[in-house]
Amino acid sequence: MQNKGNLIVISGFSGVGKGTVVKRLVSDYGYSLSVSATTRQPREGEVDGRDYYFKSVAEFQNLIDYNGFIEWAQYVENYYGTPRAYVEAELSEGRDVILEIEVQGAMNIKRQYPDAILIFLTAPDADCLKNRLAGRGTEDDEVINKRMKRALEESENMSEYEYIVINDDLDTCIRTVHGIIEAKRCERENNMEFISQIKSELRQL
Ligand code: 5GP
């Protein structure tokens, strides 16, 4: 029987570079990435269906009503949700799927999928975080302040995550996250079938 894939949740403060880390995990190691739906406006350069499925509030509500999301949450006045069909199909094909989502969604996933791997990405310190957010240049002061306030709230939930990874050097961060997922694959609990198989092979030799 084919093993089910792992569900990997990556959260982190706004501006911490989650998007870059996740894209590299996909390109360097071949993870599947779930594309979320959102009601927020596209940023410059974002493409519908690649970065997000951009939806109206009514369309989003409709997806909620039809059980189209495995989780959804409100974040700074917009809605974000993880479409169910893609994630379920990838997992049943044995592929590891990354969800890049905020903390309420992550907690929701953990309740439904207790084996999900929850990783929180952070900057080395708060100043660094604010500078990175301002440096992105895509948000005005009001949005930056809202996101910093939200970061404070999110820090309350950091301790719910199994892994905290500092994104200081990008390559190190990516390798560390991949290493965590690899280690999970090697856990005894995930290899009970393998253990009994090799035992029986050895007996037959
Ligand atoms: P942004 O607007 O910067 O792209 O995303 C804002 C926040 O929403 C980020 O923390 C991002 O991880 C989160 N987010 C993106 N997609 C989803 C989703 O499908 N569900 C949840 N719960 N959060 C999401």
Side-chain angles (χ1 to χ4, degrees):
M1 204 190 95
Q2 189 172 32
N3 276 340
K4 280 193 80 183
N6 287 306
L7 197 51
I8 301 131
V9 173
I10 299 192
S11 302
F13 299 124
S14 186
V16 81
K18 291 182 299 262
T20 313
V21 170
V22 163
K23 278 194 196 98
R24 281 278 306 276
L25 284 165
V26 171
S27 64
D28 294 10
Y29 299 108
Y31 290 103
S32 298
L33 176 63
S34 161
V35 177
S36 296
T38 183
T39 59
R40 88 149 158 70
Q41 292 301 308
R43 293 196 187 111
E44 181 91 28
E46 282 184 333
V47 176
D48 187 39
R50 184 192 69 187
D51 300 289
Y52 279 107
Y53 296 106
F54 295 100
K55 303 281 178 199
S56 67
V57 174
E59 287 168 336
F60 196 94
Q61 186 61 52
N62 200 35
L63 281 162
I64 296 174
D65 294 345
Y66 285 94
N67 200 23
F69 294 124
I70 54 173
E71 65 72 38
W72 63 272
Q74 190 176 8
Y75 179 93
V76 191
E77 292 160 13
N78 290 301
Y79 294 103
Y80 296 82
T82 304
R84 178 180 299 281
Y86 176 81
V87 172
E88 291 185 345
E90 291 295 284
L91 290 179
S92 67
E93 289 292 316
R95 283 193 275 274
D96 292 344
V97 184
I98 296 179
L99 311 183
E100 193 234 291
I101 62 177
E102 52 69 69
V103 292
Q104 301 166 65
M107 298 304 118
N108 194 341
I109 290 292
K110 192 70 192 174
R111 279 190 293 275
Q112 298 177 66
Y113 302 84
D115 291 336
I117 307 170
L118 267 60
I119 301 173
F120 194 94
L121 295 187
T122 173
D125 57 54
D127 270 349
C128 184
L129 193 64
K130 182 152 194 198
N131 292 339
R132 285 193 203 173
L133 205 49
R136 183 151 78 182
T138 51
E139 259 81 40
D140 59 29
D141 280 355
E142 200 195 323
V143 174
I144 290 172
N145 288 335
K146 273 191 190 152
R147 287 186 178 222
M148 286 307 289
K149 225 177 114 207
R150 181 70 187 208
L152 176 63
E153 285 163 26
E154 289 187 322
S155 67
E156 295 292 328
N157 290 298
M158 268 172 92
S159 53
E160 305 283 339
Y161 285 73
E162 289 145 322
Y163 300 94
I164 309 296
V165 179
I166 296 177
N167 184 16
D168 195 2
D169 175 70
L170 181 64
D171 286 329
T172 308
C173 176
I174 290 159
R175 272 200 307 275
T176 305
V177 172
H178 178 60
I180 290 168
I181 303 165
E182 291 276 87
K184 179 82 175 182
R185 224 175 266 139
C186 299
E187 272 181 7
R188 181 189 51 211
E189 283 69 21
N190 295 328
N191 286 283
M192 296 314 279
E193 242 174 77
F194 176 78
I195 293 171
S196 51
Q197 188 191 325
I198 203 158
K199 269 177 156 175
S200 95
E201 284 171 9
L202 285 167
R203 264 186 234 113
Q204 281 163 30
L205 280 183

